[in-house]
Amino acid sequence: MTRYVHRTGEHGRPVVLLHPLALSGAVWDPVAAYLGTRQRVLAPDARGHGKSGWDGAEFTVADMAADAAAVIEEAGDGPADVIGLSMGGSTALVLAATRPELVHRLVLADATACYGPNRVAEWAERAERAERVPRAQQLTFQRDRWFAEEFRAQHPEEVERVCDIFLATDSAAHAAACRALGALDATGLVPQVRAETLILVGEEDYATPPAMAEALAAGIPGSRLEVLARTRHLSLLERPDLWPAVAAHLAG
Ligand SMILES: O=C(O)CC1=CCC(=O)O1
């Protein structure tokens, strides 16, 4: 299977950026442009997403974590910093817990170890809709989950950029990723994370609400949690003012 990695920057410790459901590594472009002045940024497309290949077989979050581990190993520079947003955050969590030697500093944004007791049925329904409903008709649902109302009004060009990535995503891969999230229960892995971890969550995030971030913070030794006012689900895109603090966490 081919793996596509968006690359920015040439110097410094690698930082791997793991993207949310039904998007691609391209969603990180503004963040990569910022971090790329300091570090070598690697933003892989998950299986079947963006320009990465996929054999059509079911996959798990652990498989995506193994793919991210391969990106770090191929970079050949020792442990990398890892930033995961939403699905990418769940993937980063599993990676950090199971391959601690590969992860230097960790940022988990709008992420969870487990989507709760009804997760299998809920995500099976999301998977079914991902494949059945034309992508353009899924946009309002996704856009409102991703971005706070104020951000949507003030930054329509950024909202459109992310929506375009969603529209281009393969529906079968989107559905398979939904089932992977439904199957995820990494609760038992949380205390195994050893990397210094910054946890971010939007106060208005109803896809992975603050209680999920609080559970991560309670379980990851020494982690730091920030709950972000007037922010919804794609916090690291909604809040460029956070990027210096993220860079400082990675540099610390
Ligand atoms: O529910 C959504 O669409 C938001 C989301 C959940 C996992 C992810 O990556 O995005």
Side-chain angles (χ1 to χ4, degrees), residues 9-246:
E10 291 174 5
H11 306 289
R13 185 173 46 244
V15 53
V16 175
L17 310 182
L18 301 176
H19 67 77
L21 176 70
L23 296 172
S24 79
V27 83
W28 289 110
D29 280 358
V31 183
Y34 181 82
L35 293 178
T37 60
R38 299 162 167 77
Q39 294 190 243
R40 191 145 68 98
V41 181
L42 306 170
D45 292 342
R47 295 176 183 210
H49 293 64
K51 296 180 190 162
S52 282
W54 178 42
D55 58 9
E58 291 295 297
F59 55 83
T60 63
V61 172
D63 291 326
M64 291 190 277
D67 293 341
V71 170
I72 298 172
E73 286 171 330
E74 282 160 21
D77 263 352
D81 297 320
V82 179
I83 302 178
L85 177 56
S86 195
M87 178 179 84
S90 298
T91 305
L93 169 72
V94 172
L95 170 67
T98 57
R99 300 292 308 274
E101 78 283 7
L102 294 181
V103 180
H104 178 250
R105 297 263 165 139
L106 182 63
V107 179
L108 303 176
D110 310 287
T112 186
C114 179
Y115 280 91
N118 303 322
R119 63 190 181 279
V120 175
E122 285 171 6
W123 281 105
E125 194 192 323
R126 292 279 302 270
E128 190 275 325
R129 269 194 285 146
E131 288 200 293
R132 178 177 48 81
V133 178
R135 294 198 80 64
Q137 288 177 31
Q138 299 178 44
L139 267 186
T140 306
F141 171 85
Q142 286 298 154
R143 190 201 58 197
D144 294 357
R145 278 174 98 76
W146 288 331
F147 297 110
E149 203 174 324
E150 187 183 332
F151 184 89
R152 296 201 304 270
Q154 290 176 358
H155 301 281
E157 70 303 327
E158 176 64 355
V159 173
E160 190 180 344
R161 187 185 73 83
V162 174
C163 286
D164 284 347
I165 298 172
F166 177 84
L167 288 174
T169 298
D170 179 68
S171 295
H174 177 185
C178 286
R179 290 188 289 272
L181 293 178
L184 173 72
D185 185 357
T187 313
L189 292 179
V190 173
Q192 293 181 33
V193 173
R194 291 291 169 265
E196 272 199 46
T197 304
L198 172 64
I199 300 169
L200 303 171
V201 66
E203 182 183 63
E204 295 184 20
D205 184 351
Y206 55 85
T208 47
M212 289 182 169
E214 284 160 12
L216 291 177
I220 299 178
S223 60
R224 185 159 60 87
L225 169 64
E226 281 193 36
V227 181
L228 309 163
R230 299 188 312 282
T231 308
R232 199 157 286 176
H233 186 61
L234 298 187
S235 61
L236 283 169
L237 300 179
E238 288 179 275
R239 296 284 305 274
D241 60 303
L242 292 172
W243 300 346
V246 167

